[in-house]
Amino acid sequence: MARRYFHKAKVVTEDLQFYTVNPISNRVERKDIEQLLARCGLSYEEQIEAFVVCRDGNELVACAGLQKDIIKDVAIDPDYRGGAMSLKLVSEITYLAHSRGLDLLFVYTEPKNAEFFRGCGFYDLVEVPDRVTLLENTPIGIRSYCAKLARQRVAGEKIGCVVANANPFTLGHRYLIEQAAKACDWLHLFMVREDVSLFSYKDRYYLAQENIRGIPNVTLHEGSHYMISRATFPCYFFKDRGIVGKCRTAVDLLLFRNHIAPALGVTHRFVGTEPFCPTTNKYNTDMKVWLQEDVSKAPPIKVVEIERTQRNGLAISASEVRRLLRKGEMERIRDMVPPATFDLLESKYAALARPVTDT
Amino acid sequence: MELKQESLAGTLESSDLFIRISPSDEPLEVVINSEVGHQFGDQIRAAVVETLEMLKVTKGIVIVEDKGALDCTIRARVHAAAMRAAGVTEVDWEALS
């Protein structure tokens, strides 16, 4: 068997050819991929940015796609299963991801197919029974993350947690965090790390830091891949069909309940009521199921909804602030955000005010 | 050898191993998952750790998925991955003797 010491885009092993395909520009390859997926009972995922494919002569016999750090649409022609194809395919997709600067990779699969990936260096993160398993390509990813969190554990009977995107940080966020902190012995605040919002993660983190001043019992944490990220909660970041779309919020919430909450000793999760954004509203509703009900071996976490603050009869929301920002109505924003947010909006974002896609 | 970036070496194919090295400020952590771990686990670990010691890698995270590689393969893969992680392209043969 041909051995390979340096990664190349094209490698010949026996008669099989592995190479990378851009499905957006290469319609011929894309058509073959779609046919292979159909033969394997999978649907083509539009969001995939690159594929590794394998051809035996003219025939496309295997493929695996990459959407940022998520591996998708992995299919092997039934005639080529059971051999080394899976190992080769996963090696190739891992090198492809590495060449794109991505090393921590995730894969969603039906629980009955999870064994395939376990044999290829993937490890279970969370399973939603009968629906989906999320795996990552390291045996120590979530474990070392939780070990780091555990060092920031604070003793107490009632330990709260808030996970916020705060895009941007409003008086509503300040109110939620204040109320939550008052209600517990200690509060852990996590910022969503994914940089797909109007306000960059760096700015959102900075504003959280500035705007929680004066609250004595709160720790601000960096966000991670394991909380409301593209990997754990894809529907929040892109409209997804197929298996990833179906799992919706369960993966993210079970990961929180099974791993993150026990590391910090979290007993309560606080959330603001959500009158505007349907995705967030659904997340809040699902939270009560996946965090509180008997769906996991990990202890239940109480979900506490806090009514949104209102200004002139209107609930304050970050999406409303973004809307006003786009219209250039800075004065109306002043009433809805703390001074630190207003200063940053005025100095950095007001000039950028133009129609942007909302997240 | 100071690790600067994530690196990969090897494959998941039979008789090979897939190794991933990441820089870290923590003392060296080596995690090995092997199909033949119950029989050769100690020997595999020794080959990995000795190679890293020779290259003076003292910090970082090393994850090995072994598919039954021979010792010489293990050493070569670890060496390649460490060099890539350190951004080194010239082999220091003396360090290996």
Side-chain angles (χ1 to χ4, degrees), chain A residues 184-203:
Chain A
C184 355
D185 296 314
W186 200 266
L187 182 71
H188 295 281
L189 170 62
F190 285 87
M191 295 306 292
V192 172
R193 183 164 204 125
E194 224 56 80
D195 238 339
V196 291
S197 304
L198 173 60
F199 298 91
S200 69
Y201 171 70
K202 206 171 141 257
D203 285 345

Side-chain angles (χ1 to χ4, degrees), chain B residues 69-96:
Chain B
L70 296 173
D71 274 19
C72 52
T73 311
I74 299 173
R75 289 173 199 277
R77 293 301 196 196
V78 173
H79 192 188
M83 284 178 62
R84 287 172 191 169
V88 175
T89 49
E90 291 288 316
V91 180
D92 180 3
W93 296 108
E94 282 187 7
L96 294 173

Side-chain angles (χ1 to χ4, degrees), chain A residues 16 236 335:
Chain A
L16 302 176
Y236 187 68
D335 282 348

Side-chain angles (χ1 to χ4, degrees), chain A residues 1 3-6 13 87-88 90-91 94-95 98 103 119-121 123 137-140 143 151, chain B residues 6-16 18 20 26 29 31 33 35 61 63 65 67 77 84:
Chain A
M1 189 186 277
R3 270 269 171 260
R4 177 164 57 95
Y5 292 96
F6 295 103
T13 308
L87 300 172
K88 181 82 180 150
V90 174
S91 303
T94 309
Y95 274 103
H98 180 73
D103 287 291
C120 300
Y123 296 81
N137 68 339
T138 161
I140 55 164
R143 198 181 77 206
R151 284 181 222 153
Chain B
E6 293 256 353
S7 75
L8 304 175
T11 74
L12 288 162
E13 289 164 82
S14 187
S15 305
D16 198 354
F18 199 70
R20 167 195 310 274
E26 315 268 326
E29 180 176 7
V31 184
N33 180 36
E35 293 192 333
I61 301 166
I63 295 169
E65 290 291 329
K67 297 288 183 187
R77 293 301 196 196
R84 287 172 191 169

Side-chain angles (χ1 to χ4, degrees), chain A residues 145-147 149-153 256 258-266:
Chain A
Y145 176 65
C146 288
L149 283 183
R151 284 181 222 153
Q152 307 209 52
R153 222 182 142 107
F256 179 80
N258 297 350
H259 296 278
I260 293 162
L264 285 168
V266 169

Side-chain angles (χ1 to χ4, degrees), chain A residues 131-206:
Chain A
R131 276 204 261 172
V132 68
T133 303
L134 174 64
L135 303 96
E136 63 175 345
N137 68 339
T138 161
I140 55 164
I142 186 78
R143 198 181 77 206
S144 32
Y145 176 65
C146 288
K148 266 183 215 151
L149 283 183
R151 284 181 222 153
Q152 307 209 52
R153 222 182 142 107
V154 180
E157 247 173 57
K158 209 171 164 185
I159 303 296
C161 180
V162 168
V163 184
N165 191 16
N167 180 37
F169 199 106
T170 65
L171 287 172
H173 296 106
R174 168 78 195 190
Y175 177 77
L176 169 69
I177 291 158
E178 255 171 7
Q179 294 303 308
K182 261 186 219 160
C184 355
D185 296 314
W186 200 266
L187 182 71
H188 295 281
L189 170 62
F190 285 87
M191 295 306 292
V192 172
R193 183 164 204 125
E194 224 56 80
D195 238 339
V196 291
S197 304
L198 173 60
F199 298 91
S200 69
Y201 171 70
K202 206 171 141 257
D203 285 345
R204 289 184 292 108
Y205 188 87
Y206 159 78

Side-chain angles (χ1 to χ4, degrees), chain B residues 26-57:
Chain B
E26 315 268 326
L28 201 58
E29 180 176 7
V30 178
V31 184
I32 296 171
N33 180 36
S34 174
E35 293 192 333
V36 293
H38 57 283
Q39 205 176 351
F40 298 110
D42 294 345
Q43 199 178 323
I44 297 165
R45 176 168 291 273
V48 173
V49 171
E50 278 169 24
T51 309
L52 292 168
E53 273 172 7
M54 278 191 298
L55 296 167
K56 298 193 170 60
V57 175

